[in-house]
Amino acid sequence: MQRRKFIKNSALSITGIVSSSIIASNRPSTFDENLTIKSIKPLVVCTWNFPNATSKAREVLNNGGNALDAVEQGVMIEEADPTNETVGLGGRPDRDGNVTLDACIMNKEGKCGSVVALQNIVHAISVARKVMENTPHVMLAGRGAEKFAYESGFKKTNLLTESTKKQYEEWKKTSNYKPIINIENHDTIGMLAIDINGDIAGACTTSGLAYKMAGRVGDSPIIGSGLFIDNEIGGCVATGLGEEVVKTVGSFLVVELMRQGKTPQEACEEAINRIVNKPNSDYKNFQVGYIALNKQGVTGAYAIHQYFSMTKNQDGINESIQSDYFTKP
Ligand code: SD4
């Protein structure tokens, strides 16, 4: 049996996601892709508690949009929200006072686009999508990315709000540089979706660490670290201290572990274990969280510390799921 068919057949028998019409048809073990993919419901998950974003993505899927449209438009909700101070408009600036955005997107064909250290553009994710679709490249950085955005019709916007400006002025009084990772809530948004055809796409967007060194780039725009999609297997997105995710190529690792047979939950746990089990790991002082989704619509989430959560929209209902974590007493 071809390897591709084998993966799908074994996954089906494990999860029992085959629709009753397939079972009733007494279909032999060879697998009818068209029938099976129709049996998978659209599903959206994202990091943290962003129900407006998952609802938007779900609406796109309900209106016949594909997974790529869904994740793009879903995360755009947070990019446009000035009260979310880690994404898009109203993101906290770097230590020079500039808001610099990182984002990437990946589709069912494994195509991807990314922008790093992008300034003055609210929807970094849409620029990343344009990089994927309209250029021969995967990643554009800094001024080149901004120039490309203007050429593509995006408008210049000051991303610093009164609130983030005030916080920055306050920070400058001491300007201690220590990357601070919010262990509790409200952070980078990473989103995964399966559409009605059973295809998976993902997106990740952030302003990165508050008061980071100018030019610092985290995991979020790095394909394989902040996000990875393999439409044959599933997808993963990361949040937390990007340096630690990059060092273990976290999202790619999770997807590869799922390919080897681990459930999304087991794969996320193993990827966190790789970080905390490193010699002299300083994991007590930073957070990393992963969410993952496989082709059958099974999800997983795991973090180093408590209070990481995943928002899941299945059947149109948002559910906030507290993630299990490594540092349990
Ligand atoms: C970064 N991973 O720039 C991002 C920040 C983040 O939760 O996810 N915070 O390192």
Side-chain angles (χ1 to χ4, degrees), residues 130-159:
K130 292 239 182 284
V131 172
M132 174 176 84
E133 292 178 340
N134 297 346
T135 80
H137 306 303
V138 163
M139 187 179 273
L140 290 181
R143 279 209 300 243
E146 191 177 344
K147 183 166 169 272
F148 170 73
Y150 298 140
E151 285 165 4
S152 304
F154 291 83
K155 76 171 202 302
K156 184 167 184 167
T157 306
N158 176 13
L159 301 178

Side-chain angles (χ1 to χ4, degrees), residues 47-48 86 102 180-183 185-190 204-210 212 216-221 226 238-246 287-289 308:
T47 53
W48 305 103
T86 38
D102 294 338
I180 296 170
I181 204 75
N182 175 359
I183 289 186
N185 213 334
H186 290 295
D187 256 317
T188 297
I189 181 163
C204 188
T205 180
T206 189
S207 52
L209 301 182
K212 60 196 174 186
R216 179 265 183 191
V217 174
D219 61 314
S220 303
T239 181
L241 186 60
E243 281 74 0
E244 298 302 320
V245 177
V246 169
Q287 173 71 303
V288 171
F308 175 50

